[in-house]
């Protein structure tokens, strides 16, 4: 949750915001961190969970195709390519897609590597897939960039970067709770 204070004349109006005015001096706006970040960044399409899952599957399929083509990776033994292919197939299962998306979001928010995140109890079940998860993370990011879309993690990262770059915003105070 992000709480922001600003003068009444500067008050942004967005659906999903809750605003409170005291004596007409300032307004307190309550919004989610995602809504706050979205207000600071260039307008881009934000992926729904369903679309994010679709793009993740696309990334995994692309990597699987690469595993099948020995000419692209002649230095990689066939057994290694087969293991990677099998790991990618396991990750593309419906029950794993949501878990992988969650891991990728968590890694992005924590600014951590896949290996660091799979070392936690929450994602320990994905630890055997570290090698391919690094490639999946890169391919998924490349596909999002190519399509000109962002996910919620990207929205937060871009909002943070906008503030760091000095983006103008009509707030005098910002309080972020539990981020």
């Amino acid at each position: 949750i992000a709480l922001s204070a600003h003068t009444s004349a500067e008050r942004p109006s967005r659906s999903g915001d809750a605003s409170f005015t005291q004596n007409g001096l300032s307004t307190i706006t309550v919004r989610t961190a995602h809504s706050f970040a979205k207000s600071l960044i260039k307008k881009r399409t934000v992926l729904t969970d369903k679309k994010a899952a679709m793009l993740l599957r696309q990334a995994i399929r692309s990597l699987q195709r690469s595993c099948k083509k020995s000419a692209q990776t002649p230095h990689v033994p066939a057994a290694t390519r087969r293991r990677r292919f099998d790991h990618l197939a396991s990750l593309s299962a419906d029950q794993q897609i949501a878990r992988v998306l969650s891991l990728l979001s968590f890694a992005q928010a924590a600014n951590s590597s896949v290996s660091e995140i799979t070392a936690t109890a929450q994602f320990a079940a994905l630890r055997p897939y570290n090698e391919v998860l690094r490639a999946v993370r890169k391919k998924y990011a490349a596909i999002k960039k190519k399509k000109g879309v962002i996910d919620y993690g990207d929205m937060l990262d871009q909002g943070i970067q906008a503030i760091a770059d000095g983006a103008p915003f009509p707030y005098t105070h910002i309080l972020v709770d539990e981020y």
Side-chain angles (χ1 to χ4, degrees):
I1 301 284
L3 302 175
S4 55
H6 40 82
T7 65
S8 296
E10 299 170 327
R11 187 173 86 72
S13 170
R14 297 183 67 86
S15 65
D17 291 351
S19 298
F20 310 92
T21 303
Q22 182 179 9
N23 301 328
L25 297 175
S26 67
T27 302
I28 304 294
T29 301
V30 180
R31 58 176 28 166
T32 65
H34 291 103
S35 172
F36 178 75
K38 190 173 183 180
S39 73
L40 298 174
I41 64 172
K42 182 176 119 184
K43 302 302 177 216
R44 299 190 53 196
T45 301
V46 179
L47 292 172
T48 62
D49 290 342
K50 186 176 179 178
K51 293 274 187 181
M54 184 183 75
L55 290 185
L56 180 59
R57 281 190 179 91
Q58 183 180 344
I60 291 171
R61 281 193 305 271
S62 174
L63 291 168
Q64 283 179 303
R65 285 191 297 274
S66 294
C67 287
K68 286 185 175 181
K69 297 179 183 175
S70 60
Q72 288 182 341
T73 54
H75 60 285
V76 178
T80 301
R81 283 196 312 275
R82 182 69 199 164
R83 185 185 73 249
R84 290 175 181 168
F85 182 88
D86 291 344
H87 281 177
L88 289 163
S90 295
L91 292 176
S92 68
D94 287 341
Q95 66 273 17
Q96 289 286 66
I97 288 291
R99 182 178 285 168
V100 172
L101 282 170
S102 180
L103 175 136
L104 295 177
S105 293
F106 196 90
Q108 185 174 13
N111 198 23
S112 298
S113 69
V114 166
S115 298
E116 290 171 318
I117 301 305
T118 59
T120 66
Q122 182 180 357
F123 295 106
L126 292 174
R127 194 173 302 138
Y129 305 102
N130 276 348
E131 180 183 21
V132 295
L133 282 169
R134 286 189 294 274
V136 167
R137 184 182 192 182
K138 288 178 185 175
K139 183 59 107 173
Y140 178 63
I143 289 172
K144 289 186 299 179
K145 185 175 182 177
K146 181 180 177 184
K147 293 191 176 286
V149 297
I150 60 175
D151 59 17
Y152 290 109
D154 297 326
M155 188 182 347
L156 292 176
D157 281 349
Q158 290 177 18
I160 291 166
Q161 189 60 51
I163 291 170
D165 291 345
F169 56 97
Y171 307 106
T172 56
H173 297 81
I174 300 170
L175 169 67
V176 179
D177 183 27
E178 296 184 30
Y179 180 74

